Amino acid sequence: MTAWPALPAPAQAYKVGGAVRDELLGLPASDSDWVVVGGSPQLMLDAGFRPVGRDFPVFLHPRSGEEFALARTERKSAPGYHGFAFHAAPDVTLEQDLARRDLSINAMARGVGGELIDPHGGQADLRARVLRHVSPAFAEDPVRILRLARFAARFVDFTVAETTFEMMRSMVAGGEVDALVSERVWQELARGLMERRPSRMIEVLAGCGALGKLLPELDAAAALLATLDTGAAQQAELPVRYACLTHWATRKVTSPPLGQRLRVGSDCQEVATVLAREHAAVQASAGLGAPGLLALLERCDALRRPQRFAQLLHASELVASAGQAAAPALRQRLAQALRVVAGTDAAAAASAALARGERGPAVGQAVAQARCQALHAALQAESTP
């Protein structure tokens, strides 16, 4: 957190947005965002700030790295997320800048003297635990539907104002969400999946009709909602939560698969793919002997990808329990099997095979046999009273 920045007159910096909101909620401080009123790009450059904004003037503080944006207004110029024209100039006021923000709880500012600037009732909405749009301009940006759904997943005791919900429904009906780019949908979805109660994000999107447009494979089924929230309670990693999401994709659609359509990261897509293929085998693995366990580990590439295998096991446990409490015994057994196999001296087994004159596939079979024998011994020890 940088000290309150001093800028050449007449420019003045105000702390805005999430930092002010979280301070009023008593939440831990995060990096602050700032708005500069009365400034210009040249003034910021002269003060040592680094420009980073492509569509409008945003600058990074030379020491803290926090973002400083020149006060700006915007107007809708085309459909979708990118369809805006921005105007940043020294005569744009703080109130004009705050008026373009999405929710009242994000449209507050702090001045250098500590005064709260709250022209849209954000503090009152914090007390009432309400997510409410600032102005009719909310309807011009479809990303705001995703952002509100994500905030609902974070602030679990907040409700969505009915007038805001009605506006979101109208936006969906008017085709605004159809113009959203895949990368931004995934960015907001991924962040929402990592919030305290991801089910609320799904419920909000379903309630306004956006879920069917953006994620047509899904519905707000109880099993999906419970699985996502259990994963959040267990602090599951994003690939685990995404794999759980795709497991409950029950609708057939003609568009490309979810991960491909949203350009989901390979780490998430890989866990989802392996879960789809191996979930049943993982859940049936309690009855497997050493050869079957080794075959399962090999199909999952567990030796080379132990972290992905651990994520697979966690996701499989979550979807198998559908949000109910589950004993992790199966996950622990398979993790132990991997440790046994990884601890087998494969080099020694290969060297012994070569010394016997074996070559090619026979060497690989000798290594597999050594691993299988180690697994068998471990299983025997496990079953011995």
Side-chain angles (χ1 to χ4, degrees):
M1 171 66 188
T2 185
W4 208 277
L7 295 172
Q12 177 62 59
Y14 294 85
K15 188 189 300 183
V16 296
V20 178
R21 176 200 67 222
D22 290 349
E23 170 198 318
L24 292 172
L25 287 171
L27 297 175
S30 57
D31 290 342
S32 297
D33 289 330
W34 304 80
V35 159
V36 177
V37 176
S40 67
Q42 191 58 52
L43 180 146
M44 301 300 288
L45 293 173
D46 291 345
F49 287 75
R50 180 160 53 91
V52 294
R54 183 182 64 180
D55 298 321
F56 44 80
V58 178
F59 300 83
L60 298 183
H61 190 279
R63 292 185 299 279
S64 72
E66 292 174 337
E67 287 193 357
F68 288 70
L70 297 184
R72 62 189 186 269
T73 59
E74 63 187 30
R75 62 179 177 82
K76 188 73 168 175
S77 58
Y81 165 58
H82 291 295
F84 290 91
F86 297 95
H87 171 68
D91 62 349
V92 177
T93 67
L94 176 64
E95 288 72 17
Q96 288 175 314
D97 183 275
L98 294 176
R100 68 174 179 78
R101 296 175 181 265
D102 53 2
L103 302 176
S104 62
I105 64 171
N106 297 330
M108 296 178 284
R110 284 276 187 204
V112 64
E115 69 276 14
L116 180 69
I117 298 96
D118 181 17
H120 303 288
Q123 190 171 26
D125 282 343
L126 283 180
R127 295 194 189 102
R129 296 298 195 259
V130 173
L131 300 173
R132 187 190 313 277
H133 64 282
V134 168
S135 74
F138 181 97
E140 297 177 349
D141 186 354
V143 170
R144 291 176 171 177
I145 292 177
L146 292 165
R147 279 175 53 82
L148 187 147
R150 173 165 60 82
F151 282 124
R154 178 187 303 179
F155 300 121
V156 299
D157 57 343
F158 280 58
T159 59
V160 181
E162 184 54 37
T163 53
T164 303
F165 235 136
E166 291 174 1
M167 184 175 292
M168 292 162 63
R169 294 185 189 106
S170 296
M171 292 168 67
V172 173
E176 273 290 326
V177 297
D178 299 335
L180 282 169
V181 296
S182 299
E183 292 86 351
R184 192 57 194 271
V185 174
W186 169 239
Q187 180 184 42
E188 295 295 334
L189 179 64
R191 294 177 70 180
L193 286 173
M194 296 304 293
E195 298 288 5
R196 287 176 58 195
R197 195 177 297 170
S199 64
R200 297 200 71 213
M201 173 181 64
I202 302 298
E203 289 173 329
V204 168
L205 293 176
C208 70
L211 188 68
K213 293 275 191 177
L214 300 174
L215 307 171
E217 299 90 343
L218 300 175
D219 57 31
L224 166 63
L225 303 182
T227 302
L228 292 178
D229 286 351
T230 301
Q234 295 178 5
Q235 298 184 323
E237 298 170 89
L238 177 59
V240 173
R241 302 190 197 197
Y242 174 76
C244 291
L245 181 80
T246 60
H247 176 82
W248 295 110
T250 58
R251 297 175 177 169
K252 301 298 183 183
V253 298
T254 56
S255 56
L258 179 63
Q260 179 182 338
R261 193 173 69 251
L262 297 186
R263 301 182 184 179
V264 174
S266 60
D267 56 339
C268 292
Q269 290 206 60
E270 287 176 4
V271 176
T273 298
V274 179
L275 178 69
R277 189 185 71 226
E278 301 293 345
H279 170 60
V282 167
Q283 293 305 307
S285 64
L288 294 178
L293 285 176
L294 181 60
L296 175 60
L297 294 176
E298 290 175 341
R299 289 199 310 273
C300 296
D301 201 13
L303 276 169
R304 292 195 315 123
R305 307 290 297 277
Q307 180 183 11
R308 191 184 73 179
F309 185 64
Q311 292 169 339
L312 162 68
L313 297 183
H314 194 180
S316 183
E317 178 184 294
L318 286 169
V319 299
S321 62
Q324 302 301 310
L330 190 60
R331 183 160 39 132
Q332 292 171 353
R333 182 174 188 260
L334 288 171
Q336 174 61 19
L338 176 59
R339 286 191 291 270
V340 170
V341 170
T344 304
D345 194 341
S351 296
L354 291 170
R356 294 192 297 268
E358 297 174 359
R359 296 293 184 270
V363 176
Q365 291 170 3
V367 171
Q369 184 177 7
R371 289 170 171 167
C372 197
Q373 289 172 347
L375 263 180
H376 181 73
L379 293 175
Q380 288 290 101
E382 182 183 280
S383 63
T384 301

